[in-house]
Amino acid sequence: MIDLTNARILISNDDGIDAPGIKLLEQLAREFSDDVWVIAPSMEQSGAGHSLTLRRPLRIHKRDERHFAVDGTPTDCILLGLQQVMRDSPPDIVLSGINRGGNLGEDVTYSGTVAAAMEATLLNVPAVAFSQYFASDMIDWTIAEKYLKDVLATLVTTTWPKGVLINVNFPEHEANGGAEVKIAKQGQRKIGDHIAERLDPRGEPYYWIGAIQSELPEDNKADLRVIEQGNISVTPISLDFTHYETFEKLTKAFP
């Protein structure tokens, strides 16, 4: 259990330190605590996944006492935040987001927003990733703004094991009667990406990866279905990728 009123909160994201979502998350976090820090990428890092910058130096740009921009990935931000900027005063919880767009199904493997929460989890700090789903031309932050505080307040009354992060997605439109919190499974939908082939000014082909071509899973408890129904999906994500049934089979195959 975390007492948010006395908590030191670290916020990061993958949309960049000046993104509307991270500003909203900071605003909401400050309604719980005065001790809120922001350490986030200086530029958008969507799709960076859980990547580290290894082949060039990283720089931390201090904007004020509690706002820092890092010229790297979300994972870099959390690593530098916990082991450099805040090493003498570590956070009690890491909040990542609010991402511009959902992080559902296989998105969690690509998402820099989830990766920031993942890195914090690996460093033994409880972490929650927040995302606002949208399918229309313009994103509306209303539902995240309306429900995020209640979701977070309830989450921190529980404890979750080491090696587990919490992934929260807000729907674009509320269900009739309001959005409900649904504990959801990570869904599966991927059947391919739309790839556009074009020519550059020299006549050489290049490729642009676009939207996922997908089908919704049949399982109504899958995060993708929960969002489609106008509810809020809350999914515990384990960092242990081991498939234990196959583990047992292989153990017997290689005695």
Side-chain angles (χ1 to χ4, degrees):
M1 181 173 178
I2 300 171
D3 177 8
L4 288 175
T5 60
N6 296 306
R8 173 160 287 169
I9 300 172
L10 171 58
I11 292 175
S12 193
N13 73 344
D14 72 355
D15 290 328
I17 194 169
D18 295 311
I22 199 171
K23 292 180 179 179
L24 176 56
L25 181 56
E26 180 182 3
Q27 172 191 322
L28 296 173
R30 289 192 181 281
E31 294 184 29
F32 289 108
S33 172
D34 293 328
D35 197 0
V36 177
W37 297 61
V38 176
I39 304 175
S42 55
M43 298 178 65
E44 183 179 350
Q45 295 286 327
S46 296
H50 193 211
S51 59
L52 280 170
T53 301
L54 300 177
R55 299 189 180 277
R56 65 172 179 84
L58 291 167
R59 299 189 186 278
I60 302 172
H61 302 280
K62 183 176 180 179
R63 293 192 170 186
D64 59 39
E65 289 301 316
R66 293 184 182 175
H67 290 80
F68 300 82
V70 176
D71 64 342
T73 68
T75 304
D76 296 331
C77 293
I78 298 300
L79 186 62
L80 291 177
L82 295 183
Q83 298 192 356
Q84 292 295 320
V85 178
M86 303 179 72
R87 62 185 173 188
D88 297 324
S89 55
D92 299 296
I93 189 169
V94 168
L95 307 179
S96 184
I98 305 166
N99 190 65
R100 184 180 182 275
N103 278 310
L104 303 157
E106 70 288 333
D107 293 343
V108 301
T109 64
Y110 302 121
S111 167
T113 299
V114 174
M118 186 181 296
E119 186 66 14
T121 301
L122 289 171
L123 296 171
N124 294 322
V125 179
V128 184
F130 294 103
S131 301
Q132 174 61 65
Y133 175 81
F134 75 106
S136 55
D137 293 335
M138 296 290 292
I139 187 169
D140 183 354
W141 301 97
T142 303
I143 295 179
E145 184 173 10
K146 179 178 179 180
Y147 289 102
L148 188 147
K149 285 178 58 184
D150 287 341
V151 172
L152 179 58
T154 301
L155 282 173
V156 298
T157 63
T158 69
T159 58
W160 52 91
K162 291 183 179 180
V164 173
L165 65 92
I166 307 297
N167 185 35
V168 179
N169 282 270
F170 299 99
E172 184 172 29
H173 303 292
E174 294 180 80
N176 292 334
E180 297 181 7
V181 173
K182 302 289 186 180
I183 308 306
K185 304 174 184 178
Q186 181 185 350
Q188 286 189 322
R189 65 179 172 188
K190 185 162 185 176
I191 59 173
D193 292 291
H194 173 71
I195 299 178
E197 180 179 0
R198 299 173 184 169
L199 297 178
D200 68 17
R202 295 179 180 271
E204 297 292 332
Y206 69 91
Y207 303 90
W208 196 290
I209 298 175
I212 295 173
Q213 303 172 38
S214 64
E215 295 177 354
L216 289 175
E218 295 182 2
D219 190 346
N220 282 329
K221 292 186 177 180
D223 51 10
L224 295 150
R225 282 290 185 190
V226 169
I227 291 297
E228 182 199 34
Q229 294 162 0
N231 292 311
I232 300 163
S233 71
V234 174
T235 305
I237 302 290
S238 172
L239 301 190
D240 183 354
F241 292 170
T242 308
H243 188 266
Y244 285 97
E245 182 179 345
T246 305
F247 178 92
E248 295 299 330
K249 290 181 178 179
L250 292 176
T251 299
K252 293 175 181 178
F254 295 91

